[in-house]
Amino acid sequence: MGSWKDIAAAKREAILDSIPSKWRISPIPSREEQKDVTGPYIHQFLSKEEIQITETDAVGLANQISSGSWKATEVTEAFCHRASLAHQLTNCLHETFFDAALSDAKDLDDYLAKHGKTLGPLHGVPISLKDQFHVKGVDTSMGYVGWIGTFQGIKNDPRKGVYESEMVRELRALGAVLYCKTSVPHTLMSGETVNNIIEYTWNPKNRNLCSGGSSGGEGALIGLKGSPAGFGTDSGGSIRVPAAFNGLYGIRPSAGRLPFEGMPNSMDGQNSILSVVGPLATTIGGVRLLVKAILSQSPWLHDPLVVDMPWRDWVEHETQDLIKAAASGNSKLSFATLKHDGVVGLHPPVARALQLCADLLAKAGHKVIEWKPPSHEHGAKLVFNSWKYDGGADIHSAMALSGEPLAQQLFLFGDKPEKQYSAAEISANNVALREWRKQYMDYWNSTTELTGTGRPVDGVITAVAPFAAAPPLGYTYYGYTMFVNGLDYTSVVIPVTMVDKSLDVVDHSYQPLNDIDKTIQNGYDPEIYDGAHVSVQLVGRRLQEEKMLLLAEHLGSILKT
Amino acid sequence: MGSWKDIAAAKREAILDSIPSKWRISPIPSREEQKDVTGPYIHQFLSKEEIQITETDAVGLANQISSGSWKATEVTEAFCHRASLAHQLTNCLHETFFDAALSDAKDLDDYLAKHGKTLGPLHGVPISLKDQFHVKGVDTSMGYVGWIGTFQGIKNDPRKGVYESEMVRELRALGAVLYCKTSVPHTLMSGETVNNIIEYTWNPKNRNLCSGGSSGGEGALIGLKGSPAGFGTDSGGSIRVPAAFNGLYGIRPSAGRLPFEGMPNSMDGQNSILSVVGPLATTIGGVRLLVKAILSQSPWLHDPLVVDMPWRDWVEHETQDLIKAAASGNSKLSFATLKHDGVVGLHPPVARALQLCADLLAKAGHKVIEWKPPSHEHGAKLVFNSWKYDGGADIHSAMALSGEPLAQQLFLFGDKPEKQYSAAEISANNVALREWRKQYMDYWNSTTELTGTGRPVDGVITAVAPFAAAPPLGYTYYGYTMFVNGLDYTSVVIPVTMVDKSLDVVDHSYQPLNDIDKTIQNGYDPEIYDGAHVSVQLVGRRLQEEKMLLLAEHLGSILKT
């Protein structure tokens, strides 16, 4: 074996080489030459039919294929092509398995022709996966050079190349076509997607900026419509950040709703703050389709951590009734907006997006109040502690497999393993976390006094990050996502607008509260950010996926009118 | 302050002194003089009306009170009387608050008279609580001498005497009358109820034997019908063991179903194996009433660890349909029996009870198969590890508050704190636990091949302990309950029979597998055990409370015919 550099370079080449030559771009423009590679730019490489297919969302694809208008094979081929382009422009893929995908798609077309019905609700729909899912026939590197050619770093493990994660089994049973795995930052613990294999995943809308992380490959790929929908994971914001930075919808479900079974993880077994799996998609309908489809597989019979909770139509109906009642002026929904988390203020375009949501919701007849919750700083500290329990032992041992260095973005893990938390220290953190959750819950309940609806707020709208995205090494504050992980709440990301340098000027009157606030606010440059996506998250209580998806759809539709 | 002995003796006296002199027994017979103090023995101290009231179950009491046949005050007084007798005969109480209870009962009677309706489904029903719930006006010692007169060991804490646990708030809102708190072993980690305050809680049916633990005061009190129903907690068997040893129904719900919020705990913050709260009662109807009543309070809005899952009528209906179908021979339910867990065999009466259940279920038309699960020994080891994470630091610091010694039953914690688990060691245990749960789940699924019902088994029936109860220092094996905690499954205890020395003779042919098996089997003495309750547990999958309660009722009714 060569050095980590050689192994990483070989893997990097292998990914590129897996792309058919007919789909290679040459030369690839620099970001100075072509900042935004979405839309017209990428269209030049695609046929009209390919554009039509790849710009159809997961719901539309499922309908077109089940009705026989499109074949699963042609849909799959179109997405394989566009994903190949996306990778060349943003470094968003770790694995491709286009031949297997086309073979599966062929089987699905044959099945439909033979039986006159689909295999399942995702029949023929291409679904991309963060490189944290085990899929037969390809590596799961999770960004670690030392995992290449192994099973989670173990050489000659019999599971290598054959084992599949539980959700992969379920997606196949639902008729989904799997065709690629997407890039992640090594360790998964970064809002930027950087590793020693693909190096850096860029934001396709604005290649000055990151695609977010840790599901940053998903974000870039779906943002470029190289996939209609895919799955990421989120332990501190890793679904929501890439969704937000790429103008996508995405959901961070509560822990125990969707099956994480059979997936590797960083610091696996840390169970104070569980990572969760959830979809990102070009539309809210796509997100909903995937959540509902997975729940139809009774994942609680196959993953010991999943709660026995099927998709609840009655929650949707209740929510739908509330929306209708509000529209007719008979009743109201109520929302809260959090415009500052008490630690770091928002960049001007993010503050504008939040205000836009508040204004439009009020205009639509809903009550909007200000959110004044228990300390987010305290909650984020407790979450952060859980990341430090093992002192970086797991991370550093994974890096040591190849000798590769940690990216600068992972500064939180230091140069070498540190002292671990003791059992009593972990227990104390768990108690503090539970107490903070209880305070937060009581605060949420208390808003019944303010909403005028007879109920506490239906959702809280806030930023996903202080910035629309971040330039390399610029993702330095995680508080806006971490509080949701600390609370284990449901959160849905909703794209709102784009940075407009003429509207979103620097706020010279801004008074920073502290050094990090100052650094972040000073990092806003309208010229660099211009054109980037700006999104918000709509946060609901624990295990409120059905309700929050419907409210997100409602807000999304208001934003479009 | 005096020595721990003085403080403990003063508390012991204070408990006795809180019992009105009219209800004192003198002399109290020794267990040699009066082994069984239930039924005819205790009846001599009660009026005919008191006997009628106290031998009515929680459902009957709720009905009689809501219909106006009985006043909450007379019901409360009758149970205060019988509980007072129970304590004198078994040492089952830590706290009495009869005056407050009678005052609450009076308010409830006034409410019903004024409004013509009840406050809630538990209107006027006396409910006992393990001394782990905070109730205003009285101590929560949890068996620790050092906690007497403090709030969880903290002197001058403003919560002392005023703070109430979340479930206490809910019980009051439901109309329950709270009147006493029951004994526990210090540390809560024992199948016998022993501490330096009340010393030892005896089994009222057979005072050679323990009442079980850790909710042993609940077991003895309800066993003597000094309470119709009460709440215990279970992290290794602590609801099920006292229920089984006292001929009661009891449920260990899955974690997150009922609210533990605001209760102290041993090793609080250890979150690999969560302790759960659940009811014990004289009838299955009483257990069901309490679970359903608490869920009607939406505990998920008040306890961050509770899952948003109301009582599911549809699960009950589905189960009822299966029972009806089996009765008409159209379809079947299927059960499995586990007659040996691979480590310790059962005493003859327990083996007989299990076989009786299997025979009667088969006779009723159900399929009964043998349970051959993944290693229970391995699962129990992983649970045991979680108890050892902090090396006894929490336990020993609680004992050190007063300088009192640990009871011999708590040998697992050693003489002083030991080395704690590191974060990485805890993570490894969590991963091993998740993998074992997954294996177990897959095994359960695999029984579809054997049941002939098209479904995997509906429930697994096994012992709660290898013995019907245990004499002091005899509770030495926890494997039959711990596997359920390791899996976080639902388990309902069902009383089956009594030890009969003429039927349950020593099995001289028994071949022990190991030393502990040999010691336990040798501990069986028909003379000592004669007349003791023998029970089984019916184990279902995670969060299957509605289904398992209905199946337990079904099995209970078969056993009575």
Side-chain angles (χ1 to χ4, degrees), chain A residues 268-271 300-304 306 308-309 389 420-424 427 430 434 438 441 445 542 544, chain B residues 268-271 300-304 306 308-309 389 420-424 430 434 438 441 445 542 544:
Chain A
D268 192 19
Q270 177 279 99
N271 70 346
W300 50 88
L301 299 181
H302 305 283
D303 179 339
V306 171
D308 178 359
M309 191 180 282
Y389 283 168
Q420 299 198 16
Y421 274 53
S422 70
S427 288
N430 285 335
R434 189 183 69 218
K438 171 65 173 160
M441 167 174 260
N445 291 336
R542 192 169 164 230
Q544 290 299 303
Chain B
D268 193 19
Q270 176 279 101
N271 70 345
W300 48 90
L301 299 181
H302 305 282
D303 180 338
V306 171
D308 179 358
M309 190 181 283
Y389 283 168
Q420 299 197 17
Y421 274 52
S422 70
N430 285 335
R434 189 183 69 217
K438 171 64 172 161
M441 168 173 258
N445 291 336
R542 191 168 164 229
Q544 290 298 302

Side-chain angles (χ1 to χ4, degrees), chain B residues 20 44 88 96 177 216 218 228 241 253 274 301 434 463 535:
Chain B
Q44 67 182 295
Q88 295 173 78
T96 71
V177 174
E218 284 300 309
V241 172
L274 290 175
L301 299 181
R434 189 183 69 217
S535 306

Side-chain angles (χ1 to χ4, degrees), chain A residues 191 236 240-241 244-245 338-354 462-471 474-483 499 504 510 514 516-525 529 533-537:
Chain A
R240 290 164 288 154
V241 172
F245 288 9
L338 177 74
K339 294 175 182 171
H340 196 299
D341 73 350
V343 184
V344 168
L346 306 177
H347 278 190
V350 183
R352 177 171 64 86
L354 201 54
T462 187
V464 175
F467 21 71
Y475 205 113
T476 49
Y477 183 67
Y478 294 82
Y480 282 93
T481 44
M482 286 169 81
F483 84 96
V499 178
D504 303 314
Y510 188 81
N514 50 59
I516 176 79
D517 190 18
K518 186 175 177 181
T519 305
I520 285 175
Q521 196 64 218
N522 287 346
Y524 179 61
D525 180 336
Y529 278 90
H533 290 287
V534 192
S535 306
V536 297
Q537 60 180 331

Side-chain angles (χ1 to χ4, degrees), chain A residues 15-298:
Chain A
I15 300 168
L16 261 183
D17 288 348
S18 76
I19 295 173
S21 55
K22 62 181 175 183
W23 293 342
R24 298 289 288 267
I25 305 171
S26 182
I28 294 170
S30 70
R31 64 174 175 276
E32 291 75 22
E33 290 166 337
Q34 188 65 42
K35 185 169 85 166
D36 179 355
V37 294
T38 65
Y41 179 78
I42 198 169
H43 287 171
Q44 69 182 295
F45 305 106
L46 297 160
S47 72
K48 196 176 136 195
E49 292 71 25
E50 285 176 320
I51 293 171
Q52 191 187 7
I53 288 170
T54 54
E55 303 202 350
T56 301
D57 80 342
V59 176
L61 292 167
N63 290 340
Q64 295 286 358
I65 296 166
S66 66
S67 68
S69 301
W70 290 340
K71 296 279 185 203
T73 38
E74 65 183 321
V75 169
T76 299
E77 178 135 4
F79 278 102
C80 290
H81 184 189
R82 193 153 176 162
S84 296
L85 301 172
H87 177 64
Q88 295 172 79
L89 296 165
T90 65
N91 305 328
C92 62
L93 298 184
H94 276 188
E95 303 291 335
T96 70
F97 30 104
F98 299 155
D99 289 345
L102 287 164
S103 168
D104 292 343
K106 175 76 168 50
D107 290 346
L108 287 161
D109 284 336
D110 292 347
Y111 183 96
L112 183 61
K114 185 174 172 188
H115 298 282
K117 62 174 186 178
T118 60
L119 188 66
L122 303 182
H123 189 104
V125 180
I127 300 290
S128 50
L129 301 171
K130 184 178 188 176
D131 187 23
Q132 200 181 350
F133 289 80
H134 285 299
V135 175
K136 66 186 178 198
V138 292
D139 274 343
T140 302
S141 82
M142 225 168 74
Y144 291 128
V145 174
W147 282 25
I148 294 168
T150 73
F151 183 81
Q152 300 178 191
I154 308 164
K155 288 179 187 165
N156 305 317
D157 187 291
R159 290 167 293 184
K160 182 182 149 36
V162 294
Y163 181 82
E164 299 209 309
S165 302
E166 169 59 19
M167 196 187 267
V168 170
R169 185 189 70 73
E170 295 180 9
L171 286 167
R172 293 192 191 281
L174 290 160
V177 174
L178 308 178
Y179 64 117
C180 64
K181 293 204 297 175
T182 56
S183 58
V184 301
H186 51 213
T187 79
L188 308 177
M189 305 303 284
S190 174
E192 299 174 38
T193 293
V194 57
N195 66 50
N196 294 312
I197 304 167
I198 54 87
E199 299 185 330
Y200 200 89
T201 304
W202 296 100
N203 191 309
K205 188 72 188 164
N206 181 335
R207 292 197 299 164
N208 291 314
L209 304 171
C210 69
S211 67
S214 67
S215 314
E218 284 298 311
L221 177 67
I222 305 173
L224 262 176
K225 298 190 164 58
S227 164
F231 282 95
T233 60
D234 191 319
S235 67
S238 289
I239 289 170
R240 290 164 288 154
V241 172
F245 288 9
N246 293 284
L248 306 174
Y249 288 89
I251 187 170
R252 184 252 175 228
S254 291
R257 198 76 206 262
L258 298 181
F260 208 95
E261 173 64 35
M263 287 168 66
N265 203 1
S266 290
M267 302 171 282
D268 192 19
Q270 177 279 99
N271 70 346
S272 296
I273 302 292
L274 291 175
S275 182
V276 300
V277 60
L280 303 83
T282 51
T283 62
I284 189 75
V287 171
R288 181 179 179 281
L289 174 68
L290 264 54
V291 172
K292 194 169 174 176
I294 292 292
L295 292 179
S296 75
Q297 292 288 300
S298 304

